[in-house]
Amino acid sequence: MFNPKNKIIARGAEAVLYVEDGKLIKERISKGYRVKELDNKLRKIRTKSEAKLLDRAKDANVPRVFKVSDKDMKISMEYIDGELVKNIIDELSDTNLRLLCMDIGKQIANLHSVSVVHGDLTTSNMILRGNEVYLIDLGLGFVSDRTEDRAVDLRLLRQALESKHYKIGKDAFEYILQGYSENYKNAEEVITRLKEKVEKRGRYKRKTKR
């Protein structure tokens, strides 16, 4: 059970994150509107699933998992002490933006190389520690070998950049694709699918405006 003395890092719809003994604890909270048995089952499945994804993706920059408890619905993991990318990316020089975004692309490539799809790639789920980017919060992630799923992962990031960081979003995404291409052997296939999806979305938008 959460100790009120612990420092809360974030509180979301599904979980509360706090620091305990230098480690980050992600505790999935009970939902009063769900039947208790179903609520416990869902929280247990999601806790175990996220921990397995983090362990599978250990060659990428993601938090290391120390302990998992599907009884308390907690994951104890490495606390990544750094800056949220969303808070700094708009103020970077072009050189630093390129370096940052190429590393983001590299880390996404590392995930995709082991068949992990993040599911929620935004600058809110990236932390810059030193000169390296860490991807966090794989709560919506899953295992997949489908090119389509990897392309959707990148498309969601593109949309997030265009929406939240529109001044630098286009350049940032091009740098990300560069880093991705240099570190993932099937990048060309994924990027081709991504472009098809973006073009299809553009045609749909134009059609609905008529």
Side-chain angles (χ1 to χ4, degrees):
M1 184 64 67
F2 171 68
N3 184 338
K5 293 183 179 179
N6 291 324
K7 180 182 176 183
I8 295 178
I9 298 298
R11 186 187 297 272
E14 290 289 327
V16 59
L17 280 73
Y18 54 92
V19 177
E20 183 176 79
D21 298 328
K23 299 180 178 65
L24 182 69
I25 310 298
K26 182 170 186 176
E27 180 178 342
R28 278 188 162 77
I29 54 180
S30 178
K31 297 291 187 180
Y33 58 82
R34 287 196 296 233
V35 176
K36 185 176 180 180
E37 290 77 10
L38 175 62
D39 180 68
N40 287 339
K41 182 178 180 179
L42 286 174
R43 289 192 295 141
K44 182 177 292 189
I45 289 172
R46 290 171 182 172
T47 298
K48 292 171 70 174
S49 174
E50 183 171 5
K52 286 180 179 179
L53 283 178
L54 287 168
D55 186 60
R56 186 184 183 105
K58 60 188 176 184
D59 289 336
N61 284 351
V62 298
R64 289 176 296 156
V65 174
F66 298 122
K67 186 178 178 183
V68 184
S69 171
D70 57 12
K71 178 181 178 182
D72 298 323
M73 316 301 180
K74 293 181 181 180
I75 304 175
S76 172
M77 65 184 91
E78 179 184 9
Y79 174 49
I80 309 298
D81 190 9
E83 294 277 355
L84 279 177
V85 169
K86 73 170 184 177
N87 294 334
I88 61 172
I89 192 169
D90 293 298
E91 308 303 324
L92 297 176
S93 67
D94 187 64
T95 298
N96 287 333
L97 177 68
R98 180 176 178 274
L99 291 172
L100 173 76
C101 291
M102 285 191 65
D103 194 41
I104 291 172
K106 176 182 177 181
Q107 300 313 321
I108 297 170
N110 289 340
L111 287 189
H112 288 182
S113 294
V114 292
S115 302
V116 173
V117 175
H118 187 283
D120 191 20
L121 284 173
T122 71
T123 53
S124 297
N125 287 331
M126 301 172 185
I127 293 177
L128 179 66
R129 182 170 76 177
N131 295 318
E132 294 187 308
V133 173
Y134 285 74
L135 304 179
I136 61 172
D137 195 357
L138 272 68
L140 296 179
F142 55 96
V143 174
S144 173
D145 287 320
R146 297 176 69 237
T147 298
E148 178 81 5
D149 292 330
R150 291 174 170 86
V152 169
D153 227 12
L154 292 176
R155 181 168 64 88
L156 291 174
L157 176 55
R158 182 179 185 269
Q159 291 173 349
L161 288 167
E162 289 176 347
S163 172
K164 303 290 186 181
H165 311 284
Y166 58 91
K167 290 183 180 179
I168 52 92
K170 184 177 179 181
D171 288 341
F173 192 65
E174 287 301 317
Y175 294 143
I176 288 169
L177 290 185
Q178 185 178 345
Y180 183 77
S181 297
E182 292 179 3
N183 292 279
Y184 180 49
K185 64 179 182 179
N186 296 324
E188 185 176 349
E189 182 180 348
V190 176
I191 292 171
T192 297
R193 186 67 59 86
L194 168 67
K195 289 178 179 177
E196 290 172 355
K197 294 184 75 64
V198 170
E199 287 172 4
K200 183 177 179 181
R201 179 168 167 259
R203 288 197 297 271
Y204 174 78
K205 278 190 171 183
R206 290 193 295 272
K207 190 174 180 180
T208 56
K209 286 179 180 178
R210 291 175 182 172

